[in-house]
Amino acid sequence: MNVCANTNTIPAVCQGPDRRPAPGYQTLVKDGERACYVMGNVNTGVWSLLDENKPEDGVKLTYSAGTKCDGRTGRSMEYHFICDPQVDGPGEPVTVAGECRFMIIWQTKFACPTYPAYSPLLAVWGLVLLGVYLVGGFVYNVCGRGEPISIGAVPHSEAIMALFLLCRECVPGPKGTSAQETTRLNPTADV
């Protein structure tokens, strides 16, 4: 068997003029009877999560369209790559045979999700740089350009005020009413 391509070694039972390349073979040699079954087509490989709700469990690679099994169903093989960060190297596969569907269970650290290299420290530095930009821009606008000390001297103050007003509209007021509804109910209220 081969995970991402056709096998390099073809079993002796499967060699012959009508052999098909495949990612894996099922062979039978019993009571003088010899059979070779193709366990999928490498062009049908489909990757998916083992559990859509728990990506940390691992991934699955399914090959289908192999030799017919029961006259209508093509044989297939599924690699279940189980996330195990404790395994050194790629790990070892364990084959679980079946009639029409083979399952290969493979515990490996390479099936574990790789999360983006995000650090809370990066967010802190981003906020610090934003603060330096706003304070530095304020100081430049007041001292260098002679603007009066006001919110208008802060860089992009109109956009910042618009963002705060937009957020205020989204935050519910007393008893689940929005700030806009509070103003409509009590026009003298400070909102």
Side-chain angles (χ1 to χ4, degrees), residues 117-131:
Y118 170 77
S119 166
L121 188 59
L122 182 64
V124 169
W125 276 108
L127 290 173
V128 166
L129 290 174
L130 177 64

Side-chain angles (χ1 to χ4, degrees), residues 100-186:
C100 296
R101 184 175 134 224
F102 264 40
M103 186 184 309
I104 298 97
I105 298 173
W106 200 324
Q107 289 185 295
T108 176
K109 64 183 175 186
F110 298 113
C112 299
T114 56
Y115 297 100
Y118 170 77
S119 166
L121 188 59
L122 182 64
V124 169
W125 276 108
L127 290 173
V128 166
L129 290 174
L130 177 64
V132 167
Y133 169 74
L134 293 175
V135 170
F138 177 80
V139 169
Y140 171 75
N141 287 338
V142 170
C143 297
R145 297 178 63 195
E147 290 187 27
I149 296 176
S150 70
I151 191 73
V154 175
H156 308 290
S157 59
E158 294 89 15
I160 294 169
M161 291 300 292
L163 181 63
F164 280 125
L165 289 174
L166 180 65
C167 289
R168 196 169 92 183
E169 291 298 318
C170 298
V171 175
K175 296 182 185 174
T177 59
S178 70
Q180 197 173 44
E181 289 170 333
T182 303
T183 305
R184 206 176 29 230
L185 297 173
N186 183 5

Side-chain angles (χ1 to χ4, degrees), residues 5 24-25 33 36 53 57 78 89 152-153 156 158 170 181 185:
Y25 298 94
E33 188 180 335
C36 174
N53 296 320
D57 284 357
E78 293 180 357
H156 308 290
E158 294 89 15
C170 298
E181 289 170 333
L185 297 173

